[in-house]
Amino acid sequence: MNILLLGSGGRECAIAWKLAQSPECSRLFIAPGNAGSRAYGTNVSLPLTDFGAIKAFCLAEEIGLLFPGGEDTLVAGIWDFFKNDPELQHIIVAGPSKDGAQLEGSKAFSKKFMQRHDIPTAAYHEFDESNFEEGLVYLEQHTTPIVLKADGLAAGKGVVITSDIEEAKSVFAAMIKESRFGDAGKKVVVEQFLTGVEVSVFALSDGRNYVLLPEAKDYKRVGEGDTGPNTGGMGAVSPVPFAQGAFMEKVEERIVKPTVAGLAAEGIVYQGFIFFGLINVDGEPFVIEYNCRMGDPETEVVMPRLENDLVALIRDMDAGRLHEVTVQHSDKAACTVMLVSQGYPDDYAKGKVMSGLETTEGSLLFHAGTTLKEEEVLTSGGRVLAITSYGAGLKEALAQSYLNAEKINFEGKQYRRDIGYEF
Ligand code: AMP
Ligand code: GLY
């Protein structure tokens, strides 16, 4: 079948790599893709906000599967657009309905959903213009650190954690009164700070049943030792040593099953990936956030460790028969190290010539912010390239990625040299 994958990051490059291996994949298109994704399919230029243009492309190219990589199109309702159109209804959409995407699209929605279904998460309160003054009083009495979250999508920048109550109040005011995060921040969730190690767990749900994909740990801070500002992710590892046995049983019983069952009970159509951003608090899992798509850079280690055919899995999801499927996770470990541009996650330079890509060995290079100009690969984003390697264990995998990280060059190249340091 012909497939259209939406997105241009390292995540989409890894998904394209995986989809292209399927005997069921005839033609693969990536919109817009990057300099790396063209090794697995055809990059096409399509405005992702223009569902009409996506429709026209799908009809012209006889697309059978639409795979939205990121959250924006899902939260904007691409599933509903396809399923309400007689000409597009037959196309499988690997992602939830607009209502289902609210798990990511609205922190207030997801917190209430977890409360309704008794899913462990940090205690919280919700504020907006109508109870703004009450919110200021609430913050004064709050234990520190305080976690403030803009309700809507804020490209990973909508969470502020501070131990300074005055700063919390000023961020709170900026979010609600000055629209610091646009409409996304007009509603604010204030939550209890949880201490523990984070892990990303991924399920593919068919609306009633689910399968778990390999778990991963993402390194979000820009600096070594988990210091400096949050980024989209500087690297990832899989497996995560503590996410096994009794801990994962708790994750499934207390979090994954009630989430899938809760969506079904509420009549919310959800056939797609659920990303559980969890924190392990003394052996007890809590949900920090839900996402309605795969993670980036987690996908760059999850896809390499997934042994099943991804197209077949998505077909089984569409047919509602995931209870008949066994997912095989590779025994090998995988890691990814992200090369980023100087200045990232703040302003960064673009258009730097990349060299040495062809000199690497023993790693998968998943391009993120790269573009092609007259056969030269140029940087075009903050996160530039994910270097993924396998190993018998994480140490071996990491050594291979770091070897290749040295061989690739572009002006201002940065990366964390301590990915997987705790394991
Ligand atoms: P989110 O966008 O909700 O994933 O939050 C971004 C990051 O902030 C998370 O990955 C955590 O590192 C941190 N964070 C969010 N909520 C909490 C919390 N309740 N307690 C501790 N850390 C948190
Ligand atoms: N790596 C975190 C995310 O994709 O949201």
Side-chain angles (χ1 to χ4, degrees), residues 11 104 200 218 220 232-233 275 289 291 293-298 383:
R11 169 181 52 210
E104 175 166 2
S200 305
D218 163 25
K220 285 204 172 79
F275 169 160
E289 64 164 349
N291 293 313
R293 36 83 193 171
M294 290 297 293
D296 193 352
E298 289 96 328
R383 291 191 291 175

Side-chain angles (χ1 to χ4, degrees), residues 227-265:
T227 53
N230 261 332
T231 68
M234 299 291 291
V237 299
S238 178
V240 180
F242 70 79
Q244 315 294 333
F247 179 80
M248 283 309 283
E249 274 165 38
K250 290 178 194 169
V251 169
E252 287 205 57
E253 292 306 318
R254 298 177 193 172
I255 295 171
V256 182
K257 286 182 188 168
T259 299
V260 173
L263 289 165

Side-chain angles (χ1 to χ4, degrees), residues 196-202 213-219 235-248 251 276 278-280 298 301-302 305 329-335 393-394 419-423:
V197 186
E198 289 177 55
V199 57
S200 305
V201 168
F202 302 95
L213 307 181
E215 78 287 350
K217 183 170 190 297
D218 163 25
Y219 293 78
V237 299
S238 178
V240 180
F242 70 79
Q244 315 294 333
F247 179 80
M248 283 309 283
V251 169
F276 301 87
L278 306 180
I279 188 160
N280 176 356
E298 289 96 328
V301 292
V302 171
R305 290 197 64 235
H329 301 188
S330 166
D331 291 338
K332 287 183 282 188
C335 73
L394 283 176
I419 300 303
Y421 68 90
E422 337 77 307
F423 305 124

Side-chain angles (χ1 to χ4, degrees), residues 10 14 233-237 296-297 300-301 304 334-340 354-357 360-368 383-390 397-410 413-416 419:
M234 299 291 291
V237 299
D296 193 352
E300 290 92 303
V301 292
C335 73
T336 197
V337 173
M338 192 63 84
L339 302 186
V340 307
M354 297 182 70
S355 63
L357 291 161
T360 62
E361 281 174 324
S363 292
L364 293 159
L365 303 183
F366 294 128
H367 288 228
R383 291 191 291 175
V384 172
L385 186 83
I387 306 176
T388 294
S389 308
Y390 291 107
L398 285 158
Q400 190 62 31
S401 284
Y402 282 124
L403 198 69
N404 286 324
E406 281 303 306
K407 293 186 180 167
I408 299 167
N409 283 303
F410 57 89
K413 174 183 78 172
Q414 314 277 315
Y415 60 97
R416 268 182 68 165
I419 300 303

Side-chain angles (χ1 to χ4, degrees), residues 5 7-18 20 26-45 354 357-358 365-378 385:
L5 170 63
S8 63
R11 169 181 52 210
E12 287 74 26
C13 201
I15 292 170
W17 168 81
K18 185 73 182 161
S26 312
R27 298 199 68 197
L28 172 62
F29 299 93
I30 310 107
N34 58 39
S37 60
R38 69 202 165 107
Y40 315 116
T42 307
N43 288 346
V44 291
S45 164
M354 297 182 70
L357 291 161
E358 64 298 333
L365 303 183
F366 294 128
H367 288 228
T370 68
T371 188
L372 201 66
K373 196 176 169 199
E374 292 153 13
E375 289 311 303
E376 260 189 337
V377 180
L378 305 183
L385 186 83

